[in-house]
Amino acid sequence: MPYLFLIFWLQLFGSTTTEKFLLRFDCEWFSNESFFEPEVIQKHQIKAIHVWVSEKKDREIFENERSFLHYVFNPKGNISKSYKEIQYRNRMDTLTHEYYYDRSGNCIRREEKQLPFHFTYDYLFENELKKIEIKIDQNNGDTSFVHFFKHRYQDDQHFIEVANETNKAFKLITIQKNSAKQLLMERTSFMRNSSFHEKKYVYTENRLTEIIYRQFYNQMKEQKTNFEYKNGVLDYISVTENEQTNYRIGFIYGKNQLIKSIVKREPERKVTSIYRFEYLFDD
């Protein structure tokens, strides 16, 4: 999704109970990485989710629905495998990710495969905090990079300094939460220049109602995401940049308030996309 990677956390509040939303907002949607909330996956005993997609341009009919993404989950609700079908002009390819966890649920290895490429990412944790990340090219055994993470806390902020294999810091991540553990701000700054990207979160009556995303590389860009609720359930998302609508997202719910479909409208491209969710439950 352009500029917005939907990096934030959201909870939906019903009339009598508080329940997390199926989709996570601290990572990009419709990627190989899981954008599903493990607690909800585990609660509903979901073994797998398959996503189908169809698109149409204005004044045209929807194209045939095609397979797009497939996710497999372990009993704790964490993703164990994902498959993304990539359409090229003359062929179809598949990007596969596999995930491995320690007893605490921390992801300690991710494998990424798309022929002829095969990369692994290994993660070392200490006191539940990520300390080291290593990327290895499995085709030749070469180490692509090693990253080291240093953590410190000050008041309500968590600072994460990321360094390369020579122990030279190249970026700083700042995370701020309120007393209710709601995310207020997340900022990534790069050491070599003044580039950064930042998200600020606005809540109304404990509901996330707006995200303000700013990034600066060669120029400043700002994007706003607004959330609307109906009967305690997320109903509508609109994303604007420079006062112009980038896209709108609507939700269709099925049994147990699980998402049945997501409808995305992009006015500039004059394209409407439907992402249909198909669930496999643990018997």
Side-chain angles (χ1 to χ4, degrees):
M1 296 182 177
Y3 298 112
L4 182 74
F5 294 104
L6 292 172
I7 308 175
F8 45 83
W9 187 263
L10 174 65
Q11 291 186 333
L12 299 181
F13 289 78
S15 57
T16 57
T17 61
T18 300
E19 182 173 338
K20 290 181 179 177
F21 193 43
L22 172 66
L23 304 186
R24 290 173 49 189
F25 294 86
D26 59 346
C27 56
E28 183 182 357
W29 287 5
F30 302 119
S31 69
N32 274 79
E33 296 187 25
S34 177
F35 55 100
F36 301 98
E37 171 54 51
E39 184 177 315
V40 179
I41 295 294
Q42 186 178 38
K43 175 185 174 181
H44 292 280
Q45 297 182 302
I46 299 172
K47 292 176 62 176
I49 296 177
H50 194 86
V51 181
W52 301 80
V53 64
S54 58
E55 295 182 345
K56 83 173 200 66
K57 294 184 178 180
D58 288 357
R59 299 181 181 179
E60 296 182 5
I61 63 173
F62 276 97
E63 63 183 23
N64 291 333
E65 190 178 53
R66 61 182 175 86
S67 179
F68 181 45
L69 279 162
H70 186 75
Y71 300 90
V72 180
F73 304 96
N74 66 22
K76 292 186 177 181
N78 293 314
I79 186 172
S80 59
K81 290 184 180 181
S82 67
Y83 307 89
K84 184 174 185 177
E85 296 189 9
I86 302 173
Q87 179 69 60
Y88 295 103
R89 179 172 295 181
N90 299 318
R91 65 185 178 89
M92 182 76 74
D93 203 353
T94 301
L95 175 60
T96 303
H97 284 190
E98 297 181 11
Y99 300 83
Y100 304 87
Y101 301 87
D102 62 18
R103 293 182 178 180
S104 298
N106 298 311
C107 180
I108 57 175
R109 167 169 283 204
R110 175 169 65 89
E111 294 198 28
E112 181 180 313
K113 302 174 184 177
Q114 183 180 4
L115 294 177
F117 303 106
H118 181 191
F119 298 101
T120 59
Y121 299 79
D122 290 315
Y123 307 97
L124 176 64
F125 287 80
E126 184 178 298
N127 297 324
E128 304 300 314
L129 297 175
K130 185 189 297 183
K131 302 294 289 187
I132 301 175
E133 176 186 15
I134 304 172
K135 179 181 179 181
I136 299 175
D137 185 340
Q138 292 296 332
N139 287 331
N140 54 32
D142 289 344
T143 299
S144 300
F145 65 68
V146 179
H147 290 164
F148 299 93
F149 300 82
K150 294 181 180 179
H151 301 260
R152 63 183 177 89
Y153 296 86
Q154 182 177 340
D155 298 327
D156 58 353
Q157 294 186 328
H158 178 193
F159 299 94
I160 307 170
E161 185 180 88
V162 187
N164 60 22
E165 59 272 12
T166 64
N167 208 29
K168 183 176 181 179
F170 64 92
K171 70 178 178 181
L172 177 66
I173 301 169
T174 305
I175 300 171
Q176 183 181 18
K177 296 182 179 181
N178 61 20
S179 59
K181 304 299 181 182
Q182 292 173 317
L183 189 58
L184 298 178
M185 183 270 290
E186 186 174 25
R187 179 186 177 100
T188 299
S189 306
F190 298 91
M191 305 296 195
R192 293 183 179 179
N193 50 45
S194 57
S195 299
F196 71 89
H197 53 83
E198 175 186 81
K199 289 81 63 183
K200 291 186 177 180
Y201 308 81
V202 179
Y203 300 87
T204 303
E205 296 180 352
N206 285 327
R207 285 186 181 143
L208 182 64
T209 53
E210 185 178 47
I211 297 292
I212 302 171
Y213 176 79
R214 298 168 63 236
Q215 69 172 29
F216 178 78
Y217 291 106
N218 296 322
Q219 60 182 350
M220 181 70 73
K221 294 181 180 179
E222 182 175 286
Q223 187 177 74
K224 293 183 179 181
T225 303
N226 293 96
F227 305 85
E228 295 183 16
Y229 301 83
K230 186 177 181 179
N231 298 324
V233 177
L234 180 62
D235 183 55
Y236 182 79
I237 294 175
S238 63
V239 180
T240 60
E241 185 176 331
N242 299 324
E243 306 303 323
Q244 298 294 318
T245 300
N246 270 10
Y247 57 88
R248 305 183 186 95
I249 293 175
F251 299 87
I252 300 173
Y253 295 91
K255 185 178 180 181
N256 297 325
Q257 289 297 310
L258 293 175
I259 291 173
K260 187 175 181 180
S261 297
I262 290 177
V263 182
K264 179 182 178 183
R265 167 67 179 160
E266 300 174 81
E268 186 173 340
R269 292 181 59 214
K270 297 182 179 180
V271 171
T272 300
S273 305
I274 297 179
Y275 300 89
R276 182 172 64 85
F277 290 63
E278 190 175 276
Y279 299 88
L280 176 64
F281 296 94
D282 189 357
D283 297 332

mmCIF file of all heavy atoms in Angstrom, residues 1-7 186-190 193-200 211-224 240-242 246:
data_model
loop_
_atom_site.group_PDB
_atom_site.id
_atom_site.type_symbol
_atom_site.label_atom_id
_atom_site.label_comp_id
_atom_site.label_asym_id
_atom_site.label_seq_id
_atom_site.Cartn_x
_atom_site.Cartn_y
_atom_site.Cartn_z
ATOM 1 N N MET A 1 0.849 -1.175 0.000
ATOM 2 C CA MET A 1 0.000 0.000 0.000
ATOM 3 C C MET A 1 0.894 1.238 0.000
ATOM 4 O O MET A 1 1.782 1.349 0.838
ATOM 5 C CB MET A 1 -0.915 0.005 1.220
ATOM 6 C CG MET A 1 -1.897 -1.155 1.226
ATOM 7 S SD MET A 1 -2.989 -1.093 2.656
ATOM 8 C CE MET A 1 -4.026 -2.498 2.273
ATOM 9 N N PRO A 2 0.683 2.205 -0.940
ATOM 10 C CA PRO A 2 1.617 3.298 -1.155
ATOM 11 C C PRO A 2 1.880 4.089 0.111
ATOM 12 O O PRO A 2 0.956 4.516 0.796
ATOM 13 C CB PRO A 2 0.908 4.151 -2.213
ATOM 14 C CG PRO A 2 -0.082 3.247 -2.852
ATOM 15 C CD PRO A 2 -0.476 2.271 -1.804
ATOM 16 N N TYR A 3 3.171 4.307 0.389
ATOM 17 C CA TYR A 3 3.658 5.075 1.530
ATOM 18 C C TYR A 3 3.212 4.523 2.868
ATOM 19 O O TYR A 3 4.000 4.394 3.780
ATOM 20 C CB TYR A 3 3.248 6.552 1.425
ATOM 21 C CG TYR A 3 3.832 7.229 0.228
ATOM 22 C CD1 TYR A 3 3.006 7.644 -0.809
ATOM 23 C CD2 TYR A 3 5.190 7.407 0.113
ATOM 24 C CE1 TYR A 3 3.545 8.244 -1.920
ATOM 25 C CE2 TYR A 3 5.738 8.014 -1.008
ATOM 26 C CZ TYR A 3 4.910 8.433 -2.018
ATOM 27 O OH TYR A 3 5.431 9.013 -3.115
ATOM 28 N N LEU A 4 1.933 4.240 2.977
ATOM 29 C CA LEU A 4 1.451 3.741 4.273
ATOM 30 C C LEU A 4 1.693 2.265 4.369
ATOM 31 O O LEU A 4 1.266 1.510 3.537
ATOM 32 C CB LEU A 4 -0.051 4.029 4.425
ATOM 33 C CG LEU A 4 -0.628 3.583 5.753
ATOM 34 C CD1 LEU A 4 -0.173 4.528 6.856
ATOM 35 C CD2 LEU A 4 -2.143 3.561 5.697
ATOM 36 N N PHE A 5 2.422 1.826 5.369
ATOM 37 C CA PHE A 5 2.664 0.409 5.602
ATOM 38 C C PHE A 5 1.775 -0.085 6.735
ATOM 39 O O PHE A 5 1.965 -1.178 7.244
ATOM 40 C CB PHE A 5 4.137 0.169 5.915
ATOM 41 C CG PHE A 5 5.021 0.477 4.747
ATOM 42 C CD1 PHE A 5 5.759 1.637 4.733
ATOM 43 C CD2 PHE A 5 5.093 -0.379 3.680
ATOM 44 C CE1 PHE A 5 6.567 1.934 3.656
ATOM 45 C CE2 PHE A 5 5.898 -0.085 2.609
ATOM 46 C CZ PHE A 5 6.643 1.073 2.597
ATOM 47 N N LEU A 6 0.804 0.785 7.084
ATOM 48 C CA LEU A 6 -0.155 0.402 8.123
ATOM 49 C C LEU A 6 0.560 -0.128 9.361
ATOM 50 O O LEU A 6 0.307 -1.221 9.839
ATOM 51 C CB LEU A 6 -1.139 -0.643 7.577
ATOM 52 C CG LEU A 6 -2.079 -0.108 6.507
ATOM 53 C CD1 LEU A 6 -2.875 -1.257 5.910
ATOM 54 C CD2 LEU A 6 -3.009 0.937 7.043
ATOM 55 N N ILE A 7 1.496 0.684 9.854
ATOM 56 C CA ILE A 7 2.295 0.244 10.990
ATOM 57 C C ILE A 7 1.703 0.843 12.255
ATOM 58 O O ILE A 7 2.024 1.954 12.626
ATOM 59 C CB ILE A 7 3.754 0.697 10.807
ATOM 60 C CG1 ILE A 7 4.268 0.268 9.446
ATOM 61 C CG2 ILE A 7 4.647 0.128 11.877
ATOM 62 C CD1 ILE A 7 5.644 0.769 9.131
ATOM 63 N N GLU A 186 6.103 6.155 16.837
ATOM 64 C CA GLU A 186 7.221 5.296 16.440
ATOM 65 C C GLU A 186 7.994 6.030 15.355
ATOM 66 O O GLU A 186 7.420 6.460 14.351
ATOM 67 C CB GLU A 186 6.725 3.951 15.928
ATOM 68 C CG GLU A 186 7.860 2.974 15.636
ATOM 69 C CD GLU A 186 7.359 1.589 15.262
ATOM 70 O OE1 GLU A 186 6.217 1.502 14.783
ATOM 71 O OE2 GLU A 186 8.119 0.632 15.432
ATOM 72 N N ARG A 187 9.290 6.176 15.577
ATOM 73 C CA ARG A 187 10.112 6.968 14.659
ATOM 74 C C ARG A 187 11.408 6.225 14.356
ATOM 75 O O ARG A 187 12.043 5.675 15.276
ATOM 76 C CB ARG A 187 10.424 8.331 15.276
ATOM 77 C CG ARG A 187 11.308 9.247 14.416
ATOM 78 C CD ARG A 187 11.682 10.500 15.187
ATOM 79 N NE ARG A 187 12.578 11.371 14.445
ATOM 80 C CZ ARG A 187 12.198 12.460 13.784
ATOM 81 N NH1 ARG A 187 10.917 12.818 13.785
ATOM 82 N NH2 ARG A 187 13.066 13.201 13.138
ATOM 83 N N THR A 188 11.795 6.192 13.102
ATOM 84 C CA THR A 188 13.074 5.629 12.678
ATOM 85 C C THR A 188 13.899 6.741 12.056
ATOM 86 O O THR A 188 13.485 7.356 11.062
ATOM 87 C CB THR A 188 12.887 4.486 11.671
ATOM 88 O OG1 THR A 188 12.137 3.435 12.279
ATOM 89 C CG2 THR A 188 14.247 3.927 11.229
ATOM 90 N N SER A 189 15.067 7.020 12.649
ATOM 91 C CA SER A 189 15.983 8.056 12.158
ATOM 92 C C SER A 189 17.265 7.400 11.666
ATOM 93 O O SER A 189 17.750 6.441 12.277
ATOM 94 C CB SER A 189 16.311 9.055 13.269
ATOM 95 O OG SER A 189 15.139 9.591 13.840
ATOM 96 N N PHE A 190 17.813 7.918 10.588
ATOM 97 C CA PHE A 190 19.029 7.361 9.997
ATOM 98 C C PHE A 190 20.216 8.263 10.302
ATOM 99 O O PHE A 190 20.152 9.489 10.171
ATOM 100 C CB PHE A 190 18.844 7.176 8.497
ATOM 101 C CG PHE A 190 17.740 6.206 8.164
ATOM 102 C CD1 PHE A 190 16.437 6.651 7.982
ATOM 103 C CD2 PHE A 190 17.997 4.841 8.095
ATOM 104 C CE1 PHE A 190 15.416 5.761 7.699
ATOM 105 C CE2 PHE A 190 16.978 3.946 7.813
ATOM 106 C CZ PHE A 190 15.683 4.408 7.617
ATOM 107 N N ASN A 193 22.273 10.778 7.526
ATOM 108 C CA ASN A 193 21.647 11.990 7.008
ATOM 109 C C ASN A 193 20.463 12.333 7.909
ATOM 110 O O ASN A 193 20.302 11.764 8.981
ATOM 111 C CB ASN A 193 21.207 11.798 5.546
ATOM 112 C CG ASN A 193 20.401 10.519 5.358
ATOM 113 O OD1 ASN A 193 19.515 10.225 6.150
ATOM 114 N ND2 ASN A 193 20.716 9.761 4.309
ATOM 115 N N SER A 194 19.671 13.251 7.467
ATOM 116 C CA SER A 194 18.533 13.691 8.284
ATOM 117 C C SER A 194 17.244 12.953 7.927
ATOM 118 O O SER A 194 16.161 13.374 8.337
ATOM 119 C CB SER A 194 18.327 15.208 8.103
ATOM 120 O OG SER A 194 18.134 15.523 6.734
ATOM 121 N N SER A 195 17.337 11.855 7.196
ATOM 122 C CA SER A 195 16.156 11.117 6.787
ATOM 123 C C SER A 195 15.484 10.450 7.984
ATOM 124 O O SER A 195 16.137 10.024 8.930
ATOM 125 C CB SER A 195 16.523 10.050 5.754
ATOM 126 O OG SER A 195 17.066 10.639 4.599
ATOM 127 N N PHE A 196 14.174 10.366 7.932
ATOM 128 C CA PHE A 196 13.426 9.688 8.981
ATOM 129 C C PHE A 196 12.050 9.330 8.459
ATOM 130 O O PHE A 196 11.572 9.854 7.448
ATOM 131 C CB PHE A 196 13.298 10.572 10.231
ATOM 132 C CG PHE A 196 12.379 11.752 10.064
ATOM 133 C CD1 PHE A 196 11.017 11.634 10.347
ATOM 134 C CD2 PHE A 196 12.862 12.975 9.606
ATOM 135 C CE1 PHE A 196 10.165 12.706 10.192
ATOM 136 C CE2 PHE A 196 12.016 14.055 9.452
ATOM 137 C CZ PHE A 196 10.661 13.922 9.741
ATOM 138 N N HIS A 197 11.380 8.418 9.156
ATOM 139 C CA HIS A 197 9.942 8.234 8.979
ATOM 140 C C HIS A 197 9.328 8.035 10.353
ATOM 141 O O HIS A 197 9.948 7.473 11.256
ATOM 142 C CB HIS A 197 9.601 7.102 8.005
ATOM 143 C CG HIS A 197 10.237 5.779 8.303
ATOM 144 N ND1 HIS A 197 9.720 4.882 9.214
ATOM 145 C CD2 HIS A 197 11.353 5.195 7.796
ATOM 146 C CE1 HIS A 197 10.476 3.803 9.251
ATOM 147 N NE2 HIS A 197 11.479 3.968 8.415
ATOM 148 N N GLU A 198 8.103 8.514 10.510
ATOM 149 C CA GLU A 198 7.502 8.629 11.829
ATOM 150 C C GLU A 198 5.999 8.427 11.748
ATOM 151 O O GLU A 198 5.345 8.838 10.790
ATOM 152 C CB GLU A 198 7.818 10.021 12.382
ATOM 153 C CG GLU A 198 7.167 10.372 13.700
ATOM 154 C CD GLU A 198 7.442 11.812 14.070
ATOM 155 O OE1 GLU A 198 6.742 12.701 13.539
ATOM 156 O OE2 GLU A 198 8.351 12.055 14.880
ATOM 157 N N LYS A 199 5.452 7.751 12.767
ATOM 158 C CA LYS A 199 4.011 7.576 12.884
ATOM 159 C C LYS A 199 3.537 8.120 14.226
ATOM 160 O O LYS A 199 4.143 7.812 15.245
ATOM 161 C CB LYS A 199 3.606 6.098 12.787
ATOM 162 C CG LYS A 199 3.742 5.488 11.413
ATOM 163 C CD LYS A 199 5.138 5.062 11.102
ATOM 164 C CE LYS A 199 5.633 3.978 12.014
ATOM 165 N NZ LYS A 199 7.053 3.633 11.729
ATOM 166 N N LYS A 200 2.478 8.904 14.225
ATOM 167 C CA LYS A 200 1.857 9.368 15.456
ATOM 168 C C LYS A 200 0.409 8.895 15.470
ATOM 169 O O LYS A 200 -0.266 8.893 14.443
ATOM 170 C CB LYS A 200 1.931 10.887 15.564
ATOM 171 C CG LYS A 200 3.354 11.397 15.781
ATOM 172 C CD LYS A 200 3.391 12.893 16.030
ATOM 173 C CE LYS A 200 4.807 13.365 16.319
ATOM 174 N NZ LYS A 200 4.877 14.824 16.576
ATOM 175 N N ILE A 211 -4.020 8.100 12.232
ATOM 176 C CA ILE A 211 -2.566 7.924 12.164
ATOM 177 C C ILE A 211 -2.014 9.042 11.288
ATOM 178 O O ILE A 211 -2.526 9.299 10.199
ATOM 179 C CB ILE A 211 -2.191 6.580 11.511
ATOM 180 C CG1 ILE A 211 -2.697 5.412 12.342
ATOM 181 C CG2 ILE A 211 -0.685 6.476 11.328
ATOM 182 C CD1 ILE A 211 -2.003 5.269 13.654
ATOM 183 N N ILE A 212 -0.995 9.718 11.764
ATOM 184 C CA ILE A 212 -0.299 10.721 10.958
ATOM 185 C C ILE A 212 1.085 10.182 10.652
ATOM 186 O O ILE A 212 1.899 9.968 11.553
ATOM 187 C CB ILE A 212 -0.198 12.062 11.699
ATOM 188 C CG1 ILE A 212 -1.592 12.570 12.059
ATOM 189 C CG2 ILE A 212 0.539 13.089 10.835
ATOM 190 C CD1 ILE A 212 -1.588 13.769 12.981
ATOM 191 N N TYR A 213 1.328 9.913 9.382
ATOM 192 C CA TYR A 213 2.598 9.322 8.946
ATOM 193 C C TYR A 213 3.395 10.374 8.191
ATOM 194 O O TYR A 213 2.895 11.005 7.247
ATOM 195 C CB TYR A 213 2.326 8.121 8.043
ATOM 196 C CG TYR A 213 3.562 7.491 7.450
ATOM 197 C CD1 TYR A 213 4.342 6.630 8.206
ATOM 198 C CD2 TYR A 213 3.939 7.754 6.140
ATOM 199 C CE1 TYR A 213 5.483 6.052 7.671
ATOM 200 C CE2 TYR A 213 5.081 7.181 5.596
ATOM 201 C CZ TYR A 213 5.849 6.328 6.362
ATOM 202 O OH TYR A 213 6.981 5.766 5.829
ATOM 203 N N ARG A 214 4.635 10.586 8.625
ATOM 204 C CA ARG A 214 5.520 11.553 7.973
ATOM 205 C C ARG A 214 6.828 10.877 7.624
ATOM 206 O O ARG A 214 7.356 10.078 8.401
ATOM 207 C CB ARG A 214 5.780 12.749 8.906
ATOM 208 C CG ARG A 214 4.534 13.524 9.268
ATOM 209 C CD ARG A 214 4.796 14.498 10.399
ATOM 210 N NE ARG A 214 5.763 15.528 10.046
ATOM 211 C CZ ARG A 214 6.879 15.786 10.701
ATOM 212 N NH1 ARG A 214 7.195 15.054 11.771
ATOM 213 N NH2 ARG A 214 7.692 16.742 10.319
ATOM 214 N N GLN A 215 7.335 11.207 6.454
ATOM 215 C CA GLN A 215 8.649 10.699 6.068
ATOM 216 C C GLN A 215 9.415 11.804 5.356
ATOM 217 O O GLN A 215 8.843 12.628 4.644
ATOM 218 C CB GLN A 215 8.537 9.473 5.172
ATOM 219 C CG GLN A 215 7.988 9.723 3.787
ATOM 220 C CD GLN A 215 8.101 8.497 2.898
ATOM 221 O OE1 GLN A 215 8.079 7.376 3.380
ATOM 222 N NE2 GLN A 215 8.197 8.709 1.599
ATOM 223 N N PHE A 216 10.724 11.808 5.601
ATOM 224 C CA PHE A 216 11.583 12.785 4.947
ATOM 225 C C PHE A 216 12.805 12.080 4.393
ATOM 226 O O PHE A 216 13.560 11.441 5.133
ATOM 227 C CB PHE A 216 12.028 13.884 5.926
ATOM 228 C CG PHE A 216 12.963 14.880 5.300
ATOM 229 C CD1 PHE A 216 12.484 15.873 4.470
ATOM 230 C CD2 PHE A 216 14.333 14.795 5.516
ATOM 231 C CE1 PHE A 216 13.353 16.778 3.866
ATOM 232 C CE2 PHE A 216 15.210 15.689 4.924
ATOM 233 C CZ PHE A 216 14.720 16.689 4.095
ATOM 234 N N TYR A 217 12.961 12.165 3.081
ATOM 235 C CA TYR A 217 14.182 11.709 2.410
ATOM 236 C C TYR A 217 14.720 12.905 1.641
ATOM 237 O O TYR A 217 15.506 13.683 2.150
ATOM 238 C CB TYR A 217 13.899 10.498 1.537
ATOM 239 C CG TYR A 217 13.558 9.265 2.358
ATOM 240 C CD1 TYR A 217 12.256 8.787 2.445
ATOM 241 C CD2 TYR A 217 14.543 8.604 3.086
ATOM 242 C CE1 TYR A 217 11.939 7.684 3.224
ATOM 243 C CE2 TYR A 217 14.239 7.497 3.865
ATOM 244 C CZ TYR A 217 12.935 7.043 3.926
ATOM 245 O OH TYR A 217 12.636 5.951 4.711
ATOM 246 N N ASN A 218 14.271 13.090 0.430
ATOM 247 C CA ASN A 218 14.641 14.304 -0.292
ATOM 248 C C ASN A 218 13.626 15.412 -0.058
ATOM 249 O O ASN A 218 13.941 16.593 -0.232
ATOM 250 C CB ASN A 218 14.751 14.016 -1.794
ATOM 251 C CG ASN A 218 15.875 13.036 -2.097
ATOM 252 O OD1 ASN A 218 16.926 13.094 -1.473
ATOM 253 N ND2 ASN A 218 15.641 12.137 -3.044
ATOM 254 N N GLN A 219 12.431 15.021 0.316
ATOM 255 C CA GLN A 219 11.391 15.990 0.611
ATOM 256 C C GLN A 219 10.443 15.405 1.650
ATOM 257 O O GLN A 219 10.415 14.196 1.867
ATOM 258 C CB GLN A 219 10.632 16.376 -0.656
ATOM 259 C CG GLN A 219 9.949 15.202 -1.335
ATOM 260 C CD GLN A 219 9.233 15.609 -2.618
ATOM 261 O OE1 GLN A 219 9.098 16.798 -2.909
ATOM 262 N NE2 GLN A 219 8.774 14.641 -3.381
ATOM 263 N N MET A 220 9.662 16.275 2.275
ATOM 264 C CA MET A 220 8.738 15.840 3.308
ATOM 265 C C MET A 220 7.439 15.344 2.669
ATOM 266 O O MET A 220 6.906 15.964 1.755
ATOM 267 C CB MET A 220 8.436 16.985 4.269
ATOM 268 C CG MET A 220 7.489 16.609 5.393
ATOM 269 S SD MET A 220 8.259 15.480 6.582
ATOM 270 C CE MET A 220 9.388 16.629 7.406
ATOM 271 N N LYS A 221 6.959 14.200 3.163
ATOM 272 C CA LYS A 221 5.663 13.678 2.746
ATOM 273 C C LYS A 221 4.857 13.365 3.995
ATOM 274 O O LYS A 221 5.404 12.883 4.986
ATOM 275 C CB LYS A 221 5.819 12.422 1.888
ATOM 276 C CG LYS A 221 6.491 12.671 0.553
ATOM 277 C CD LYS A 221 6.602 11.400 -0.272
ATOM 278 C CE LYS A 221 7.273 11.666 -1.600
ATOM 279 N NZ LYS A 221 7.412 10.438 -2.428
ATOM 280 N N GLU A 222 3.585 13.668 3.929
ATOM 281 C CA GLU A 222 2.713 13.404 5.069
ATOM 282 C C GLU A 222 1.451 12.703 4.591
ATOM 283 O O GLU A 222 0.870 13.075 3.575
ATOM 284 C CB GLU A 222 2.352 14.702 5.780
ATOM 285 C CG GLU A 222 1.473 14.487 7.011
ATOM 286 C CD GLU A 222 1.217 15.761 7.780
ATOM 287 O OE1 GLU A 222 2.141 16.240 8.471
ATOM 288 O OE2 GLU A 222 0.098 16.299 7.689
ATOM 289 N N GLN A 223 1.048 11.706 5.345
ATOM 290 C CA GLN A 223 -0.142 10.945 4.993
ATOM 291 C C GLN A 223 -0.970 10.736 6.261
ATOM 292 O O GLN A 223 -0.439 10.461 7.334
ATOM 293 C CB GLN A 223 0.255 9.598 4.399
ATOM 294 C CG GLN A 223 -0.910 8.798 3.840
ATOM 295 C CD GLN A 223 -0.420 7.510 3.196
ATOM 296 O OE1 GLN A 223 -0.049 6.588 3.919
ATOM 297 N NE2 GLN A 223 -0.411 7.434 1.894
ATOM 298 N N LYS A 224 -2.289 10.863 6.120
ATOM 299 C CA LYS A 224 -3.189 10.686 7.250
ATOM 300 C C LYS A 224 -4.130 9.518 6.976
ATOM 301 O O LYS A 224 -4.651 9.364 5.875
ATOM 302 C CB LYS A 224 -4.002 11.965 7.501
ATOM 303 C CG LYS A 224 -3.152 13.129 7.983
ATOM 304 C CD LYS A 224 -4.014 14.343 8.295
ATOM 305 C CE LYS A 224 -3.150 15.497 8.799
ATOM 306 N NZ LYS A 224 -3.971 16.693 9.127
ATOM 307 N N THR A 240 -5.381 9.686 3.115
ATOM 308 C CA THR A 240 -5.210 10.893 2.304
ATOM 309 C C THR A 240 -3.768 11.374 2.352
ATOM 310 O O THR A 240 -3.058 11.176 3.344
ATOM 311 C CB THR A 240 -6.131 12.031 2.792
ATOM 312 O OG1 THR A 240 -5.809 12.337 4.168
ATOM 313 C CG2 THR A 240 -7.585 11.634 2.705
ATOM 314 N N GLU A 241 -3.354 12.008 1.272
ATOM 315 C CA GLU A 241 -2.025 12.619 1.182
ATOM 316 C C GLU A 241 -2.170 13.930 0.445
ATOM 317 O O GLU A 241 -2.756 13.982 -0.642
ATOM 318 C CB GLU A 241 -1.057 11.687 0.443
ATOM 319 C CG GLU A 241 0.363 12.223 0.417
ATOM 320 C CD GLU A 241 1.323 11.238 -0.242
ATOM 321 O OE1 GLU A 241 1.070 10.035 -0.181
ATOM 322 O OE2 GLU A 241 2.340 11.698 -0.802
ATOM 323 N N ASN A 242 -1.665 15.002 1.055
ATOM 324 C CA ASN A 242 -1.802 16.341 0.480
ATOM 325 C C ASN A 242 -3.268 16.661 0.191
ATOM 326 O O ASN A 242 -3.608 17.207 -0.872
ATOM 327 C CB ASN A 242 -0.965 16.468 -0.795
ATOM 328 C CG ASN A 242 0.511 16.251 -0.533
ATOM 329 O OD1 ASN A 242 1.039 16.630 0.508
ATOM 330 N ND2 ASN A 242 1.192 15.625 -1.484
ATOM 331 N N ASN A 246 -5.903 8.873 -1.274
ATOM 332 C CA ASN A 246 -5.099 7.829 -1.907
ATOM 333 C C ASN A 246 -5.931 6.587 -2.154
ATOM 334 O O ASN A 246 -5.941 6.018 -3.240
ATOM 335 C CB ASN A 246 -3.895 7.467 -1.025
ATOM 336 C CG ASN A 246 -2.680 8.310 -1.339
ATOM 337 O OD1 ASN A 246 -2.776 9.291 -2.073
ATOM 338 N ND2 ASN A 246 -1.547 7.949 -0.782
#
